[in-house]
Amino acid sequence: MPAVSKGDGMRGLAVFISDIRNCKSKEAEIKRINKELANIRSKFKGDKALDGYSKKKYVCKLLFIFLLGHDIDFGHMEAVNLLSSNKYTEKQIGYLFISVLVNSNSELIRLINNAIKNDLSSRNPTFMCLALHCIANVGSREMAEAFASEIPRILVAGDTMDSVKQSAALCLLRLYKTSPDLVLMGEWTSRVVHLLNDQHMGVVTAAISLITCLSQKNPDEFKTCVSLAVSRLSRIVSSASTDLQDYTYYFVPAPWLSCKLLRLLQCYPPPEDGAVKGRLVECLETILNKAQEPPKSKKVQHSNAKNAILFEAISLIIHYDSEPNLLVRACNQLGQFLQHRETNLRYLALESMCTLASSEFSHEAVKTHIETVINALKTERDVSVRQRAADLLYAMCDRSNAKQIVAEMLSYLETADYSIREEMVLKVAILAEKYAVDYSWYVDTILNLIRIAGDYVSEEVWYRVIQIVINRDDVQGYAAKTVFEALQAPACHENMVKVGGYILGEFGNLIAGDPRSSPLVQFNLLHSKFHLCSVPTRALLLSAYIKFINLFPETKATIQEVLRCDSQIRNSDVELQQRAVEYLKLSSIASTDVLATVLEEMPPFPERESSILAKLKKKKGPGTVSVTDLEDSKREGGELNGGGERGPDTAAMAASNASTPSPSADLLGIRSAAPVGAAPASAGSLLVDVFSEAGPAAPSAAVNDDGFLSSAPPSEDPAPPLPEADELLNKFVCKNNGVLFENQLLQIGIKSEYRQNLGRMYLFYGNKTSVQFASFTTTVSYPGELQSHILFVQSCSCMFRNQYTSENWDTACYSTSPIFAH
Amino acid sequence: MIGGLFIYNHKGEVLISRVYRDDIGRNAVDAFRVSVIHARHQVRSPVSNIARTSFFHVKRSNVWLAAATRQNVNACMVFEFLYKMCDVMTAYFGKISEENVKNNFVLIYELLDEILDFGYPQNSEPGALKTFITQQGVKSQVQSKEEQSQITSQVTGQIGWRREGIKYRRNELFLDVMESVNLLMSPQGQVLSAHVSGRVVMKSYLSGMPECKFGMNDKIVIDKQGKAGSNDDGAKSGKQSIAIDDCTFHQCVRLSKFDSERSISFIPPDGDYELMRYRTTKDIILPFRVIPLVREVGRTKLEVKVVIKSNFKASLLAQKIEVMIPTPLNTSGVQLICMKGKAKYKASENAIVWKVKRMAGMKESQISAEIELLPTNDKKKWARPPISMNFEVPFAPSGLKVRYLKVFEPKLNYSDHDVIKWVRYIGKSGIYETRC
């Protein structure tokens, strides 16, 4: 770099900046800036040419003013002129201005590109570097278009200086990230990969960033880099700390390069070539060995660098997941870190261990640290570390230690940080269910959970308890008893009341023998909570009451009295009122036989995937804990936990009000009768064969709503229409217009008119959701002989969206209107 | 009610902090500083709500006065109080500046104790306050019992703004009508909006407890009198009367009497005070007319010619005339020619400033400027801000005339004729703008 000459101090600039800094108020600052701008404008007006120095000075001032937040709309030309200067400082300021203030102004861009091109082709390495930095800093599409083909050439050319190569690699990386379609490696690929063999460590470091990025997109093309990377890595790892001179950082040889190499290797599966693999394993072992050595320096930078490599190596080991020996060693190493006094290390150790726990080879090894982890959960001061500890506990849990872990997590929940409570609750619920051998333990756990952290217990959790209790005969009595006891607490959470209401309503008879829990006592206990609950819970309790009438006829009078009182039968909430009225009537009119049939015990729920798992998955991003793994094991234990997934609430209520599904029921999204959108399995049946029943011989319309509904011509698809659709279709025997099909997402209406031999029909599609349908297409297929009769089909296609709630939809802007003749 | 009152310097350092209610904590002081004084974007609203606390602020030179409250108070009341507070401070130590505030902080705390009680504004009349809050603190201690009780009875009495037993050898009275005229005019000379806001400021040196009556050419009063008297008379005087849109009075004016008879009668405080404030929007005499001519010659040149015409009696003289002609943001040079006065391009304001010391009525003068522009990359057009003007004229642009100011003092032996009365009219420009 050229030495800074004497005149480069730019005194004017320094004075200006200090003036601005001394301004007492914003107004004074603006005044000063206005004055300076006017001065610069008068200088740039250009009666006489400015010399490079003053041009540079004024451009600098403009840059400073811009950085203070003012608009600059001139001076670009002067900056571009600076680019062609031969002085380093002037060129540098010019490039700085361009990178900060460039806008896609066509004429200027051309000039700038020209200047950059000149600099790139010059043999002066500093100028080349400046140009490359400018391209990378701007990184716009125009830049990529202009230089994407040139930079790889500079990068691989034999005579390019090392520092330029470095810049070129990083510049290319930047361009690749902004517009990957423009950067085509093609013929350069192998030569770029061979940069890994470069003598200069800086070039290798820069190149490896580029290669990692490129190989993530097309791994096959860069496959050859694996062996090169391994050999490079082994050379670094085996080198003594003094070998690499400039690239040794606190006695650690080239830590950044090592990390990047290890990360690059994580893009690929373990090398197949035995020699390469052996060499790599050797490297990893060396890294693990080095971690055991006493530190060469007490400085924190030394240990940081060393640990960075170690953690990267461990994640590579986990990525390969094929070397039991290494996995166990890694696990032991992490175990040591668990008690390290550095918080960051503990955090990282817990995080890596989470992934280790999912590997079959190291699962047992991870389990040995359970005490430490539990201790961390309890005593750690940093909440993020506690969170990781909880994750790890969840990941290391299996049948052998489930009870211990669940108990620990439960006891921790009482003091847990609010931000992680909900997740903890879900985890406890899942673990309790998955590893429950003894269902009374499961029921105890969940009830405890509701008691401790009721606010954080989501609907799914208590649905699940009820499903399990209903599906397992042996636990019902115990559940009723426990629930009854839990309800006796003076203040209990609403979720507890829900569970209690449901279980006592179903199985209250199992504990009615005990005089302490006689039917009336049970009822009074439940009813004492009634007034403190929200509407959905009250609705559930009302259903429980009617079940009581069936179970214990002796409570009938009391319950009828309750139902009859004004606060029930005239409740302002329509749902509660309807229930009260209907249950009252049902109990007074129906005979005991009818009652017993209507209010029979719930049938077992069919087996489904646990919705709690789905919820946890939704809550956490991918990659934190391997949920899939848990799911697998869940499936194994499926028959063990004969749990189903139907919403107990809905099913229970179905007896009384099929017409008004309660809101909580929809939360489950599993009403078996209706919706289509959720379950792809039923999508095929959505197909509506309109005309077979609707009117005179006519083509069939099929609805194809991409993503939601799929369809094929009716002849190919034997699936019968939905029962609901069937009913709708029957209407068309005597009607020309009406609703053809309707579900939560879509309403299809038909309007048709027939005159003599001509018929015309319109199909209306109404979007009932609040989002737009994308790529909505309809296919109209015609039975053979009709084809010739179609006069024309006109369709207007547009996206549409209903802005209103799902109840009132009023948009219908898609129509096809074929006109056909007989 | 006002929960606390803070005074900051321009840097946001707290000069005075007085908390009246418990709901305003210490952190309120910082909250205002952080989100208003040091805000990244200039806060233009005088009221800001920060963390459920409302801050009302006014700025005097580089000093911020802020009142904080957590209650739903009448914002006008708070501002009125802040302005009163400024008046009081000015009456005690002159200009409100950081230095003056620092030098008088004991006095300011004393004043704050007096004029705000648990957040409720109290007597804030500087004349009354000066009787018991003196700048020479020691003096108040030697006040006799009688004097003290007199002050108490005065301050708590019906006429809190005047004490008894004032005596002057010469009974004198000064009355200033001060108006500021605001205008926005289109380039074609159409009035887009115009209003005058005026104040009647008095200085009275009268003995005893005089009863005064102030009369002006208020249209309602004149019309009423016209109806009572002969028809001709009413028509004649009706032309000279003015329609007042709204007005506010000093607390000494009997409002009930104004409401029923529309007569302004009062017992004046001693010394300086502002008798009334008013606003008119009809039949305003515009003292100056600005005729702009802007021509763009190509991309790099702009020609501006501005003519000002004075529009009042030739015998009167306008003073301190200043015309600000905004220039485009890419101005690189300006050449100016003006017939009268001095003109200069001020880069820091982005404007040409043309100053004329004096100008008689019914005259005209002009300036022409050639502005050179620097070509820019921005396609944005220059927004052409309006040309603004400042001046001072010796008449009331609203047309207000003082008809009489009668003084009655039944107890002492001087009559209305013995009082020497001085009346002066001053018209100033407010925001006086013409679009170009």
Side-chain angles (χ1 to χ4, degrees), chain A residues 1-10 53 56 87-90 92:
Chain A
M1 226 169 274
V4 177
S5 67
K6 232 183 183 180
D8 284 331
M10 291 197 282
Y53 166 75
K56 180 183 74 177
K87 271 199 184 138
Y88 171 77
T89 49
E90 286 165 23
Q92 183 200 24

Side-chain angles (χ1 to χ4, degrees), chain A residues 435-448:
Chain A
Y435 299 114
V437 191
D438 169 11
Y439 276 93
S440 51
W441 174 73
Y442 172 73
V443 171
D444 278 344
T445 307
I446 299 293
L447 290 183
N448 249 337

Side-chain angles (χ1 to χ4, degrees), chain B residues 372-425:
Chain B
E372 283 172 71
L373 304 175
L374 192 77
T376 61
N377 302 324
D378 264 9
K379 297 287 178 283
K380 259 190 289 173
K381 261 200 106 178
W382 179 42
R384 289 203 183 192
I387 295 172
S388 62
M389 194 173 173
N390 292 318
F391 54 79
E392 224 179 275
V393 288
F395 62 91
S398 68
L400 181 129
K401 290 261 160 38
V402 177
R403 286 171 60 218
Y404 56 80
L405 181 68
K406 293 174 191 157
V407 181
F408 308 100
E409 172 48 278
K411 285 182 192 156
L412 296 176
N413 54 350
Y414 70 93
S415 70
D416 186 33
H417 302 290
D418 301 330
V419 179
I420 306 158
K421 297 170 191 165
W422 305 88
V423 178
R424 179 164 69 158
Y425 297 94

Side-chain angles (χ1 to χ4, degrees), chain A residues 512-528:
Chain A
D514 191 332
R516 278 169 299 173
S517 54
S518 69
L520 215 55
V521 174
Q522 283 185 35
F523 171 74
N524 284 337
L525 183 61
L526 275 184
H527 198 60
S528 68

